[in-house]
Amino acid sequence: MAIVSSSSFIAILAATANNISPINAFLLPSSALSRTQARVLSQPVPGACLFRRDDDISIRMVDNKVSEIEVVTQPTDEFLEKKGVFSWSKWSCPPSKFPWTYDSTESCYLLQGQVTVTPTDGRKPATFGKGDFITFPSGMSCTWDVSERVEKHYMFY
């Protein structure tokens, strides 16, 4: 059994034979540690941990099972406002190619540009551009190939 906590939620994950059953993987409010108040996962998720991100629950792979770059193509204004994207810091970069390592998870929203990010560990590369919302997993090393000048809002967490 693994317990992963944040200020808002605690995930209790009980694994059998490297699988997590939907019956024994729970997401609980930190203030309520009772099984009856848990939200049960709808499907088995091998090696997963749950994290709260705003009102969304993301499933991240752990124990050497890593998550991919997540791209939300052209999200709605409501999605962006809910995340507070337009209050985040800004960063820009001219066309270039450079290595990068994520010490923590980053989410960003591209205001302009075109980029291909290629992880160095065998994960799938991702190409994205103006109007896309991207999340990069913590611990990932990659190469950024900026084909058109990039400007983005970003947040590390």
Side-chain angles (χ1 to χ4, degrees):
M1 177 183 303
I3 298 176
V4 178
S5 64
S6 74
S7 59
S8 301
F9 288 96
I10 295 175
I12 300 176
L13 308 174
T16 56
N18 295 326
N19 288 316
I20 295 176
S21 164
I23 296 171
N24 57 13
F26 302 99
L27 178 65
L28 300 99
S30 297
S31 60
L33 298 179
S34 115
R35 182 180 170 134
T36 58
Q37 295 172 314
R39 285 197 0 195
V40 179
L41 291 176
S42 60
Q43 58 184 332
V45 182
C49 280
L50 296 171
F51 293 90
R52 178 181 166 92
R53 212 189 305 156
D54 296 328
D55 293 328
D56 302 346
I57 303 302
S58 296
I59 298 174
R60 300 278 186 200
M61 305 314 285
V62 294
D63 298 330
N64 298 322
K65 295 177 182 155
V66 292
S67 65
E68 299 290 328
I69 299 168
E70 299 172 5
V71 179
V72 177
T73 305
Q74 305 296 309
T76 64
D77 288 341
E78 181 182 358
F79 174 91
L80 298 171
E81 289 170 13
K82 188 175 183 180
K83 296 211 175 277
V85 167
F86 300 108
S87 66
W88 296 355
S89 299
K90 277 189 177 179
W91 178 83
S92 62
C93 177
S96 56
K97 190 171 186 176
F98 57 91
W100 188 258
T101 297
Y102 288 91
D103 294 328
S104 56
T105 300
E106 178 193 1
S107 288
C108 66
Y109 175 70
L110 260 65
L111 299 168
Q112 70 176 43
Q114 185 74 22
V115 179
T116 298
V117 173
T118 304
T120 60
D121 61 3
R123 289 182 251 204
K124 295 177 187 176
T127 299
F128 45 90
K130 178 181 178 178
D132 291 339
F133 183 89
I134 308 94
T135 302
F136 303 100
S138 178
M140 182 183 76
S141 293
C142 60
T143 299
W144 271 63
D145 187 355
V146 180
S147 55
E148 295 177 22
R149 177 178 168 71
V150 165
E151 184 175 348
K152 68 177 184 174
H153 284 285
Y154 70 95
M155 172 71 69
F156 287 98
Y157 52 97

